Amino acid sequence: MITSVKNETIKNWSKLKKKKYREKMQQFIIEGDHLIEEAISSGWEIDAIVAVENKTFDHSDNSLKVVRVTEPVMLHLSETKSPQGILAIVKMKAFNITTQKRLLLLDEIQDPGNLGTMIRTADAAGFDAVLLGRGTVDVYNDKTIRSTQGSLFHLPILPVDLLEEIPRLKAEGVNILVSTLERAKTIDQVNPTDKMGLVVGNEGNGVSDAILELADERIHIPIYGQAESLNVSVAAGIMMYALQMK
C-alpha cells in the first residue's frame, strides 16, 4: 500500500500527466475498468494497475502487477473529477501502416474531445488507421483517451508529417480526399476507390493550403439549414460513413 504522494513511483507516474514526460517515458495513464479491459484485450502492454484499497476488479490478465494506493494518492494521480478508484500505466506502441484501404488524416486538430470522437468514429466506420498531422493534439491526452471510449486500442494511430506522408500514399495508389468548401464537390458526388485517405482540418482554419494542393478530390457536406458550419468531428463522421456505405 502506497500512502504518500511523495513516493518516488507515484511522483514518476504523476509526471505522465504532461506530454513531454509521456514521450520521454513512453507510457501513459488510462482510468476506469472499461478502458483497462479494452487495453488488455487488445494486447497493449500494461506496466501496472493502480487501485485503491477497497476496489475490486476482474480483468482478463491476472498476472498483471497491482499497486494499492490510498484515496488521496489516487486523487493525486487521477485527472477526472470523480475517479473510479482504478487506473493503469500503459506502454505506448509504435505502429506501421499495413492496410491502406481507408485512412483518416487529421491536420492540426486542436480539441482533444474532437480527436477522441473522430478516432472512435473511424473505428466504428471500419477505417484502417488514423494519421495525426503536425500540430494535432496529443492522442494520449487524458480527454482524448476518454473520448475514444477504448477505440484508441483498436486501430493504428500514428503521428506523421502530412506534407511528406500524403505524396507517399498517393504513390501507392491512395486517393486523397480533402474536406474543404473551396472548389469542392459534395460528398454524394464522390465515387469511392479501393484505397482512400480522408483529410479533415483544424477547427477554425480548416485544412492548410499546402495540403489542399495535394488533394486528388476536394469534398464537402452540403448545409441545408442556416448553420454556418458543422463541428469537425461530426463532419468527419458523416463523410467516413458516406464513403463506406457507397
Side-chain angles (χ1 to χ4, degrees):
M1 171 72 72
I2 297 178
T3 61
S4 173
V5 297
K6 295 182 180 180
N7 176 280
E8 283 302 315
T9 298
I10 299 302
K11 287 197 290 186
N12 284 331
W13 285 343
S14 183
K15 290 178 181 178
L16 296 175
K17 294 178 182 179
K18 295 183 179 180
K19 180 182 178 180
K20 67 176 182 178
Y21 288 109
R22 291 195 290 267
E23 292 179 343
K24 179 180 179 180
M25 299 163 73
Q26 288 294 291
Q27 295 176 321
F28 61 100
I29 297 173
I30 58 174
E31 297 190 45
D33 293 277
H34 171 66
L35 286 176
I36 293 173
E37 189 57 49
E38 289 292 336
I40 293 170
S41 63
S42 300
W44 285 61
E45 188 173 352
I46 308 294
D47 188 61
I49 288 180
V50 185
V52 293
E53 184 177 13
N54 60 351
K55 173 67 176 179
T56 59
F57 56 91
D58 182 23
H59 294 299
S60 58
D61 188 345
N62 295 320
S63 67
L64 292 171
K65 172 185 175 184
V66 179
V67 177
R68 293 288 179 174
V69 300
T70 59
E71 292 278 0
V73 173
M74 178 60 69
L75 286 170
H76 180 71
L77 291 174
S78 175
E79 293 194 78
T80 60
K81 292 181 179 179
S82 302
Q84 297 179 43
I86 188 168
L87 54 82
I89 311 301
V90 185
K91 292 187 178 181
M92 293 182 184
K93 269 188 178 184
F95 291 106
N96 291 313
I97 305 174
T98 55
T99 304
Q100 300 182 346
K101 289 190 175 182
R102 296 289 188 271
L103 304 173
L104 177 65
L105 290 71
L106 305 179
D107 181 28
E108 294 193 31
I109 298 299
Q110 297 291 295
D111 184 85
N114 282 337
L115 175 57
T117 299
M118 284 189 279
I119 290 170
R120 182 180 179 183
T121 308
D123 181 19
F127 270 54
D128 300 306
V130 179
L131 309 186
L132 310 180
R134 292 181 183 272
T136 294
V137 65
D138 183 20
V139 69
Y140 299 113
N141 175 293
D142 173 65
K143 291 181 180 178
T144 301
I145 291 171
R146 283 188 276 120
S147 295
T148 70
Q149 285 292 301
S151 288
L152 166 69
F153 305 113
H154 299 164
L155 72 172
I157 301 166
L158 58 161
V160 298
D161 183 331
L162 292 179
L163 291 176
E164 295 179 0
E165 189 67 18
I166 289 175
R168 187 189 71 78
L169 291 171
K170 293 176 68 169
E172 295 186 8
V174 178
N175 192 42
I176 300 298
L177 308 173
V178 178
S179 174
T180 180
L181 295 176
E182 300 176 11
R183 306 194 312 274
K185 63 177 67 173
T186 58
I187 187 69
D188 61 295
Q189 295 175 313
V190 175
N191 294 314
T193 54
D194 187 49
K195 294 182 177 182
M196 293 188 301
L198 172 64
V199 186
V200 296
N202 178 270
E203 289 88 343
N205 300 318
V207 176
S208 68
D209 290 339
I211 292 175
L212 273 175
E213 291 302 315
L214 297 174
D216 291 309
E217 296 183 80
R218 299 182 179 208
I219 61 174
H220 76 99
I221 300 168
I223 300 291
Y224 298 110
Q226 298 181 53
E228 183 177 302
S229 63
L230 290 168
N231 169 277
V232 65
S233 62
V234 172
I238 291 171
M239 288 188 285
M240 281 189 280
Y241 269 95
L243 293 171
Q244 285 289 60
M245 294 173 69
K246 281 201 170 188

